Each structure stands twice: as structure tokens, then as C-alpha cells.
Amino acid sequence: MSEWCGVRCEIINNEINLSFHENIKLSQSILVHFIEVFDDAAPINGSTFQMIPVNKRTVTLYWPYPFHIAFAELDNKNYYIILVQNMYHRSRKINQEIQSKDRCRHINEIFKQTLVQYHPLRRIKHYHEPCNMSSFNLSCFYDDNLFCLCNYFGQQRIANCFEFDSKKKFDCFGQSNCQNEAKCLQDRSQCPQTSICVCRPCFYGALCQFSAHGFGLSLDDILGYQIQPHITINNQPFVIQLSIILTMIITIIGLINSILSFITFNNNEICQTGCGIYLLNISIITLFTMILFALKFWILLIAQMTYITNDLFLKIQCISIDFLLQIGINMNRWLSTCVAIERVICVIKGTNFDKNKSKKLAKFIIILLFIFNISTNLHDPIHRHLIEDNDNEKRIWCIITYSSTLRTYNTIMNLCHFFIPFIINLISGPFIILVTARQRKIIRIQESYRNILNKQIQEHKHLLISSISLILLAIPHLIISFVSGCMNSISKPLLFLIGYFISFIPSILTFLVFVTPSTSYKQQFLKTYERYKRTIQRRLHLVL
């Protein structure tokens, strides 16, 4: 609600500034109930909703109607008394800190179960008792139909109760713009003035537009509400400044890695086999992925700081960048898997391995992988769109709206793109060593299998290092995604932010994973490097 009311907006509304003690667990929003008491009539109940800003424990709300009692409702029916006043004062400014002692308990926490099961008329006779118990130190309590205050009457404290339906539900008359099956609640059942979306678990945002499931979170989901509008980068929250540093580090390392990898694998000798073709494509895809990654972060940051307001530009980047980023990450996973499979086939076939056939097959498989990745992720851009937040900041969000069936499909596809390459890379290195050891044992009958196995480990240690490296780089992302469940608190995104950045690590370490452990690849890199160096020096000499 606004600060003013009246026919000509001439009346200042009651301003209520609430702060919450640090030991109170806050929800995304707060529902405040106002009770107006009459001597000869039933009380009138009114309610208003307010979002609690990220990283803050304060909230300001306005109420235009008379009231004598005010109490707040957080998640799971946790009620906290705010104010009790005998006389209503219009246009009053109220500052109140909510503490644990202000919590109103349910009768299940106060009375024995046998008493709770009494008929309400019989049970209410005992409602004065907890008000006089110093062990409870109650200021209020409630049941399913009544809300009671503990007030002094002479030397005694008695329960003063009024009707209040704690299970009451508000709806928006079917006119809801909430996303992801969220509930739409309004402040009054008649002539409502405000509404708010109450999100299901693992969703958040003013319209519940963001998913907070650990696997497949986008940067919009993790950092969207952390970015403060109209505030310079120096004054942004710590998590944003950390994200800027990590983005710059990952982008620089990724660009250097892709350039060095391209220098190594852009070679006719290496590209005589399918492995070389796969690795060359990995280096090219990584280059484009890093460029898109940097663009994604900076567009999100600048747009949420409200310096970019062009709807067409925001819509194009919304539909395209996350989709292309996912394609790039998945392609790198699958191409690394193709390298592992090719090496296994090479070991099994031995001298019968056909390089020309391998080269042709690799080109065909790369095309198939592109088609497979695009088709299994095509639902992403189709269901992406821009929405404008209805809060005071009026921000524009890029969101995905999935049905429950499509959300399940998306999860399954994400798991397939992660686990199948993960499992193949896990078994490929040890499988190659075991197969070659058995082949050598057939020829070297006198030599022990253990000695042969040790020699094969030394000979193929670069393959083992490559497989282990890919596995070790994938495990942290796996652990963070599944152990953490979903991001229940949008004010604590650090774990999920780390998980998001870790998903890019395998892509930016191609050179270290494939080139560094391999003697032949290192030699080829040095040769190519010297050739480029001489070419550059010769051209510079001609210019000078």
C-alpha cells in the first residue's frame, strides 16, 4: 500500500517499521493482521502482505484503516504480536522490534493433549491459566478459531479472546499472475487493494518466477535478487563482487585454455584420428562458451542495475544465451566422452584400428551430438519469456515457465547429459589399462600379471589422469547440486553460486586435462608454438 489515502490522497497512512531479531527465521514475505475492536459489535479483521527485502531484517508497511491490535504471520503459522493499543491514532508512525518472546503459541504447545481435545466451550474455561504461568511468559496464544491476548485485570492476567480463523485463505478470484503454481493471496476478501504470491518450496521471487532447485540453476535464479538496482558495483553485496571476480578469472583462464588447445589440436597430424577432431571441436566450443558466459553475467548485472531497458535486446538474450551456454557445456561433456570411447576402441582393435574411418565417423558423430543436444534442450528457449516485476523496483526478469511434466522431463535430460558422460569417463581409463594388460599377458607368458599391469599404468598414465581429472572436476558440482537440495533462502546463494561456476571448470581445463599429461600432445604444442612464434617475428620484422 502507498503512504497516502483519502479522496484526494490528503491523509497519511499509518507507517509501521518492523525489525526482526536475528534469532527469528524469516520467510520471503510477511502477512500482518490488523484487528479493529468494537464495544457492541464483532471485531473487523484486515490483512496486508509485504515482501521482506533480500539481505535485510526490516520491513516497512502502511495501513489506512483504524486498528487496535496488530500481529505478524510468518511461515508455518508463526504469529508475533506487534502492537496492542486502547486508542487508535491516525497517521501514526510505529517502530517495533519483533523478538522471540513476542511469538504467540498454539494451544498444542501450552496445554496437555487431553485438554486440547475438549469441546471448545469446555476448553475455553482454561484459557486464563497459561496467562498466569510465569514459565510460559505469554503475551498471546491461539487455537483454530480464537486469538487470545494475555492482559492485566487488576492483579491478575486473564485471556482476552476474539474470533480469528487461522486457516482462512484468500484468493485472487481466479485472476492470478503468479508463476509455478504459486498461491495468489489478497489483503481483504472484499475490495482488496494488494495481492502477493506465496511460493511453493524451492521457488521464489515476487511472482515465484524463479526455481531454486539445485541441479540446473541459472545465474538469474541465483543472483537475480542479490543485485541491487541503481547502486554502483563498489556498493553491491559481497556475493556480487565475488561473482565479478570469479567470472573474470574463469573467463580469462577459459580463453587462454581454448586458444592453447586450438593451437595444439589444429594440426593435420593430430586430426588424422577421431580423437583429434573431437579435441579440436572442444577447444572451439570452449572459446564460444567463455564469450557467452561473460556476456551472460555482465548483461544480467547491468540489466538488473536497470541500465539496460531495451525490451527487444533483453528478449533476444533471454531466449538465446542460457540455451547456447547449456549446449556448449553439454557438447564439451559429450565430446570428452567421445575421446574416451575412441581410445577404448583403439586399444581393443590395436593394429586393425582404421584412422580414416575414425575421422569420418567423428565428423558424423559431432553433427549428431549437436542435433541431440539442441533437440533435448529446445524446450528451454520456447518457454523463456520476459516479465516485469510488480514490486517497487519494477525490474525485468527472464524466466522459464514449465508445467510439472515438462519440469520432470527437463530434470531427466539434465541428469542424462551429466551422468552418462560421467560414468563413461569413470570407467574408460581403468578399462583401457586392464585390456592392454591382458593383451600383453598373452604374449609375455613368463612375466607376472602385476608387473605387466604396473607397466601399463605407467605407459597409459596420461589416459588415467585425463579420466580422473574429468571425474574430480564433475564430483563437486554433483555433490553441491544434490546434497543441498534446493535454495530455500535467496539470501544465502553462495553454495549454489559455487556449484554454478564449478560446472564451467571442465571446459576451461581442456589443455591441462588432455595436453599436459600427454607427451605427444605436448611435443606437438611446442612445435606449433615455435612455428607461430617464428611467423609472428618474421611479419613484425617485415613491418619494421
Side-chain angles (χ1 to χ4, degrees):
M1 291 187 180
S2 65
E3 299 179 39
W4 304 89
C5 66
V7 178
R8 301 179 181 178
C9 299
E10 75 281 7
I11 302 172
I12 301 175
N13 283 334
N14 297 288
E15 179 182 335
I16 303 172
N17 299 301
L18 300 179
S19 61
F20 296 87
H21 194 271
E22 59 184 10
N23 60 8
I24 295 177
K25 184 179 179 182
L26 290 182
S27 53
Q28 298 175 29
S29 60
I30 181 175
L31 172 59
V32 178
H33 301 283
F34 297 92
I35 311 297
E36 185 180 3
V37 180
F38 298 94
D39 293 332
D40 54 355
I44 295 179
N45 297 356
S47 305
T48 186
F49 298 92
Q50 185 67 39
M51 295 296 294
I52 299 176
V54 178
N55 297 322
K56 292 183 180 180
R57 302 188 68 82
T58 60
V59 64
T60 299
L61 50 95
Y62 300 92
W63 186 249
Y65 309 109
F67 71 95
H68 298 96
I69 303 166
F71 54 95
E73 179 182 344
L74 300 179
D75 281 346
N76 301 319
K77 299 297 179 181
N78 282 313
Y79 296 98
Y80 292 86
I81 196 73
I82 297 173
L83 177 70
V84 178
Q85 57 183 3
N86 293 325
M87 297 291 294
Y88 168 70
H89 301 280
R90 193 172 71 174
S91 304
R92 183 180 175 186
K93 185 175 183 179
I94 301 167
N95 298 310
Q96 183 70 28
E97 183 185 29
I98 307 298
Q99 301 180 4
S100 298
K101 65 182 180 64
D102 298 319
R103 190 171 78 87
C104 305
R105 302 188 187 187
H106 191 271
I107 58 170
N108 288 332
E109 302 177 53
I110 303 171
F111 297 114
K112 293 181 180 179
Q113 195 61 33
T114 53
L115 195 150
V116 171
Q117 293 174 354
Y118 284 175
H119 187 278
L121 290 178
R122 183 183 178 189
R123 186 180 63 217
I124 198 172
K125 296 177 182 179
H126 298 270
Y127 276 17
H128 296 304
E129 296 172 6
C131 291
N132 291 293
M133 293 181 182
S134 57
S135 58
F136 287 129
N137 192 25
L138 290 177
S139 56
C140 53
F141 62 93
Y142 68 100
D143 60 20
D144 292 342
N145 300 303
L146 298 174
F147 196 97
C148 300
L149 303 176
C150 288
N151 296 333
Y152 276 101
F153 184 77
Q155 298 299 319
Q156 287 187 324
R157 298 182 81 221
I158 62 172
N160 190 359
C161 303
F162 54 87
E163 289 186 4
F164 177 76
D165 184 2
S166 60
K167 296 182 178 180
K168 183 178 180 180
K169 294 182 180 180
F170 300 97
D171 60 39
C172 294
F173 306 106
Q175 303 297 319
S176 171
N177 61 347
C178 300
Q179 307 289 324
N180 294 308
E181 302 173 15
K183 294 180 180 178
C184 181
L185 304 180
Q186 293 175 313
D187 59 343
R188 298 165 76 88
S189 57
Q190 295 180 353
C191 300
Q193 295 188 10
T194 61
S195 65
I196 195 171
C197 299
V198 178
C199 308
R200 297 190 298 119
C202 296
F203 294 93
Y204 70 97
L207 301 177
C208 303
Q209 70 268 37
F210 291 125
S211 167
H213 290 86
F215 203 91
L217 282 178
S218 73
L219 210 55
D220 300 74
D221 300 322
I222 300 169
L223 291 182
Y225 273 99
Q226 300 297 323
I227 303 170
Q228 302 301 309
H230 309 293
I231 294 177
T232 60
I233 290 176
N234 291 335
N235 295 316
Q236 289 289 335
F238 168 76
V239 69
I240 300 300
Q241 297 181 359
L242 177 64
S243 301
I244 292 172
I245 294 171
L246 292 177
T247 300
M248 293 175 68
I249 291 172
I250 290 175
T251 303
I252 292 169
I253 294 175
L255 292 175
I256 294 172
N257 164 81
S258 58
I259 292 168
L260 294 180
S261 300
F262 183 80
I263 290 172
T264 305
F265 301 121
N266 187 28
N267 182 281
N268 290 330
E269 185 178 339
I270 291 178
C271 290
Q272 289 302 312
T273 62
C275 276
I277 301 291
Y278 295 134
L279 291 169
L280 177 61
N281 278 272
I282 288 175
S283 62
I284 295 171
I285 291 172
T286 300
L287 180 63
F288 285 103
T289 301
M290 287 301 101
I291 294 172
L292 288 171
F293 169 71
L295 283 174
K296 170 63 184 178
F297 178 82
W298 288 107
I299 290 174
L300 173 65
L301 180 63
I302 296 171
Q304 292 309 316
M305 291 170 66
T306 63
Y307 293 118
I308 299 178
T309 56
N310 187 295
D311 285 350
L312 180 60
F313 173 79
L314 291 174
K315 186 172 183 178
I316 292 172
Q317 69 84 27
C318 171
I319 294 172
S320 60
I321 292 185
D322 274 302
F323 170 66
L324 294 174
L325 266 177
Q326 193 61 46
I327 296 295
I329 293 173
N330 290 342
M331 281 298 298
N332 278 346
R333 287 173 182 162
W334 284 106
L335 290 174
S336 298
T337 304
C338 289
V339 172
I341 294 172
E342 173 104 345
R343 286 171 171 174
V344 170
I345 294 172
C346 182
V347 167
I348 293 173
K349 290 194 173 182
T351 55
N352 294 323
F353 182 74
D354 190 338
K355 291 184 177 180
N356 289 327
K357 186 177 180 180
S358 165
K359 185 177 177 180
K360 291 178 182 178
L361 188 61
K363 293 178 180 179
F364 178 70
I365 288 173
I366 290 170
I367 295 172
L368 283 182
L369 283 176
F370 266 114
I371 295 172
F372 170 68
N373 275 281
I374 291 171
S375 59
T376 54
N377 287 280
L378 196 58
H379 59 282
D380 183 286
I382 292 174
H383 291 84
R384 279 188 179 273
H385 57 279
L386 294 178
I387 64 167
E388 185 175 321
D389 213 334
N390 290 327
D391 61 10
N392 294 329
E393 295 168 349
K394 296 295 180 183
R395 295 204 258 186
I396 297 175
W397 299 104
C398 172
I399 69 164
I400 305 178
T401 306
Y402 288 154
S403 64
S404 57
T405 304
L406 195 55
R407 193 178 299 117
T408 302
Y409 168 78
N410 182 65
T411 302
I412 292 171
M413 286 298 102
N414 281 333
L415 293 176
C416 288
H417 286 303
F418 183 89
F419 272 110
I420 295 175
F422 178 85
I423 293 169
I424 293 174
N425 282 311
L426 180 66
I427 63 177
S428 63
F431 182 81
I432 290 172
I433 291 171
L434 290 173
V435 169
T436 52
R438 287 183 180 180
Q439 290 174 345
R440 298 294 187 275
K441 180 60 180 174
I442 296 172
I443 301 172
R444 304 171 189 171
I445 300 175
Q446 303 300 324
E447 192 173 354
S448 68
Y449 180 75
R450 178 175 291 182
N451 289 336
I452 295 173
L453 185 62
N454 289 332
K455 288 180 181 178
Q456 292 308 308
I457 291 173
Q458 291 299 317
E459 183 179 343
H460 297 94
K461 64 180 181 181
H462 66 285
L463 303 180
L464 202 59
I465 291 172
S466 298
S467 297
I468 292 173
S469 299
L470 290 171
I471 293 163
L472 291 176
L473 292 171
I475 284 175
H477 184 217
L478 184 67
I479 293 173
I480 291 173
S481 297
F482 287 96
V483 172
S484 51
C486 71
M487 191 168 62
N488 290 318
S489 175
I490 59 176
S491 61
K492 298 178 181 178
L494 192 58
L495 183 64
F496 296 90
L497 182 67
I498 293 171
Y500 178 81
F501 283 128
I502 284 176
S503 66
F504 290 93
I505 298 298
S507 298
I508 69 173
L509 296 181
T510 308
F511 187 82
L512 291 176
V513 170
F514 290 105
V515 179
T516 306
S518 173
T519 305
S520 60
Y521 285 159
K522 279 195 292 187
Q523 290 175 350
Q524 194 60 55
F525 167 72
L526 292 174
K527 287 180 183 178
T528 308
Y529 171 75
E530 290 297 329
R531 187 172 72 251
Y532 283 158
K533 184 179 176 180
R534 288 194 299 269
T535 302
I536 292 170
Q537 287 175 343
R538 186 171 64 252
R539 292 188 177 182
L540 287 175
H541 179 72
L542 290 173
V543 171
L544 295 173

